[in-house]
Amino acid sequence: MSITAKIETLREQRQKAISHHPELAGRIHVSSQFADSVSVDMEEFVDYARVYSVYTWVHKAIAKTGEAISPLPVRVVDADGQEVENHELTHLFAYCNDSMSPADLWQAWTVHMMLGGESFLELVGNSRGVPVELWPRRPDRVLVVPDGSRERILYPRVLEYVFEMPNQEPTTIDAPDMIQDKFYNPLSPWRGLAPITAVREGITIDLFAQAWSKTFLKRGARPDFAVVSPLGMTRTEKEEIVSDLMASHSGEGGWHRPIVLEKGIEDIKPFSFPPKDVEWLQQREFARDEVGAVFGVPDEIMGFGRDTYENFQTALEVYWTLTLLPLIQHRDTSLTHHFTKVRPVLKPGQRIETDLSSVGVLQEDVTPKLEQASKFWSMGVPFNTIEERLGLGIGPIPGGEVGYLP
């Protein structure tokens, strides 16, 4: 199918979701609160996944977020933030399953959260019921079955999940064996709301702009034209002229060749639609900026900001502080809740926490504190007093209650 035909088809199908064709839908997630099962529109998630695979800025934003989060270790810590040694969940997060590394799992988690607004991780236990594997499940293939009992009508709770695979019998999964993490959806207590939904209009317009510019360039950057014949033509003459034009002046071989016509033709009028008239470059930049804003990725990280060290360092700090850190904390809180309330494995005071010690941009710069501590020390202030006041992280030392003057 030609690109022109594709666009005509798109105009007739405005109710569909976006995809690499592109397509657009006004659909939202199913929000029946007490149906037998609650699902998302499968075509919508698939279309968003196709956009992720072919649309530059969506792929860049989500991939960068996944690449930053996925290598970080996830472990169990106590109330003081110290890692609990040999905890079964720490081993689970370090292993995941026999086909995926932890980085692969959390990369999948990131993509599912951004494109589907939610993520499902199935827990597989051993003969003693201890979870030993984690498997990601596509959101569009998981049905949520609410607890419809009388006492839970006003207090929504999931009864079980149903995982569907093509050409396979559906698999029922008990609620404790499925970790559902989701972004808040004001229309449904059961399903998440994907960030990409907020920019689908802009993405669709940008995809139309790409399709238009592609067609324009395929025609040799020349517009369509009309052949004017005041004296009129017979059907045979029209067919001959169209055939001559298509044979001689379409495609690579006919670009920019002069048109020579006879048979009473007086003029050829081009239809001029220069790119400036529809401001497609500005629209493409706006769509790019929209995607970066919704996914919380600064311009410099996306690759089109001002390329200086100071700007990039500031952008990196903003990216980690305002986007990645809240997303990581959201995941850790969801995991902690599941293993505390739904499938109790954690002891009181224990929680799931991502190890951020390897993220240099999040580490505190102690240089100003050290300079201030040096001044206090030169004034005779005891070291332990300085430590208590400034929190250098060294801790009290023997004899630190005594100050010395130079």
Side-chain angles (χ1 to χ4, degrees), residues 164-292:
E164 298 182 329
M165 287 284 289
N167 304 319
Q168 300 288 335
E169 288 293 327
T171 302
T172 300
I173 302 171
D174 294 335
D177 294 332
M178 183 74 86
I179 305 172
Q180 181 184 9
D181 189 4
K182 62 181 183 295
F183 292 133
Y184 176 70
N185 185 349
L187 301 178
S188 172
W190 311 111
R191 309 305 303 235
L193 184 62
I196 195 175
T197 305
V199 288
R200 61 183 177 186
E201 295 281 0
I203 293 173
T204 302
I205 293 173
D206 193 20
L207 291 173
F208 271 110
Q210 289 186 49
W212 181 89
S213 59
K214 179 180 178 181
T215 303
F216 184 78
L217 293 173
K218 283 181 69 175
R219 292 172 178 167
R222 299 181 67 172
D224 295 329
F225 49 81
V227 177
V228 180
S229 176
L231 302 178
M233 291 181 288
T234 65
R235 179 179 297 275
T236 301
E237 290 174 334
K238 289 180 181 179
E239 292 176 351
E240 289 179 357
I241 290 173
V242 170
S243 177
D244 290 343
L245 288 173
M246 294 299 294
S248 302
H249 305 281
S250 65
E252 296 183 5
W255 286 355
H256 310 304
R257 290 178 60 183
I259 299 176
V260 180
L261 297 172
E262 301 177 2
K263 302 179 181 176
I265 294 175
E266 183 178 273
D267 192 11
I268 294 181
K269 295 187 177 295
F271 296 146
S272 178
F273 300 106
K276 184 178 181 300
D277 289 350
V278 292
E279 297 183 345
W280 64 283
L281 282 177
Q282 290 86 343
Q283 176 57 49
R284 295 210 62 193
E285 290 178 359
F286 181 74
R288 177 194 67 188
D289 294 342
E290 260 192 335
V291 170

Side-chain angles (χ1 to χ4, degrees), residues 50 56 62 74 111 137 148 180 187 200 209 213 217 232 262 275 288 299 317 337 341-343 349 358 375 396 404:
R50 288 173 177 167
T56 304
I62 296 178
V74 182
V111 173
R137 302 304 184 196
Q180 181 184 9
L187 301 178
R200 61 183 177 186
S213 59
L217 293 173
E262 301 177 2
R288 177 194 67 188
D299 298 356
E317 294 174 1
H337 173 79
K341 303 295 184 181
V342 183
R343 183 170 183 160
S358 62
K375 292 179 181 180
Y404 298 91

